[in-house]
Amino acid sequence: MDPKTIELMKNFGGLLAMLAPWILLFLAIFRDDLKDILLRPKLILDIPNQLKTGERTVLRYSNGSEDLPCVYFHIRAKNKRRRRVASEALLIVERLEVIPDDGQVSRSFLDDLSIKQRHCDKRTATDIGYNHVYYDLFRITENGCLEILLAPPVPNNLICRLDGPGKIELDLSMIAINGKSKTKKLRIVWDGDADIGNTEAHISVDEV
């Protein structure tokens, strides 16, 4: 072996021996913190292709009003870590910006409002294992309204809908007691056409 290589290996070994006590001390002090970081759930948000077509259904009113055809668009939350459950997870809206083509921009920075879980009309914290959960991101109704589906209670002065062409920008994150996803920034652009039979031709949902 080359003498320079031998000398380099000796120096490296000496450095490692010198640092070893400090490394062990660091591991002893921060062992639980490191374990928590390494074993946290891995939460992600996505909108797979099969969700971009929307789900056609009707709104039924308890007061006897006529059923209203609509299309729901969903977003999916996934935990990609097998042996770590995300505890009491919520899909939180961090920023909501409503930008109608012919009106005033409404911009809200939030941290306590969440998106409704699919088929659920209230704020629901959910444990997510190595699987996925769907959320009702927004819906378009036949009477010409696009609405972000926030879980109640929603402030009366919060604007979260379009009644004509425009766009909505959202910052979303999945937050659990023991973990958080990266923020997903979405832009929803709608031309105002409420053709329930062909909604996809009039809307786009893109990550920004």
Side-chain angles (χ1 to χ4, degrees), residues 1 4 26 31 67 80 113 120 193 200 204 207:
M1 186 178 293
K4 289 184 178 181
F26 175 84
R31 178 182 60 186
D67 292 348
K80 299 188 74 174
L113 290 181
C120 185
D193 192 319
E200 296 78 12
S204 66
E207 189 170 354

Side-chain angles (χ1 to χ4, degrees), residues 96-164:
L96 172 61
E97 189 166 341
V98 179
I99 312 168
D101 284 356
D102 57 355
Q104 184 176 358
V105 175
S106 170
R107 183 179 295 109
S108 303
F109 292 90
L110 314 167
D111 58 10
D112 60 350
L113 290 181
S114 61
I115 298 294
K116 293 198 305 183
Q117 192 171 325
R118 191 177 184 186
H119 303 313
C120 185
D121 289 327
K122 62 182 181 179
R123 185 180 173 101
T124 305
T126 303
D127 293 344
I128 304 177
Y130 182 62
N131 57 9
H132 51 258
V133 177
Y134 293 100
Y135 291 82
D136 292 333
L137 182 58
F138 66 94
R139 73 181 171 214
I140 296 175
T141 53
E142 193 177 54
N143 62 355
C145 172
L146 185 157
E147 182 180 7
I148 301 298
L149 297 174
L150 299 172
V154 179
N156 292 331
N157 61 346
L158 180 66
I159 297 175
C160 57
R161 58 185 279 173
L162 288 168
D163 294 306

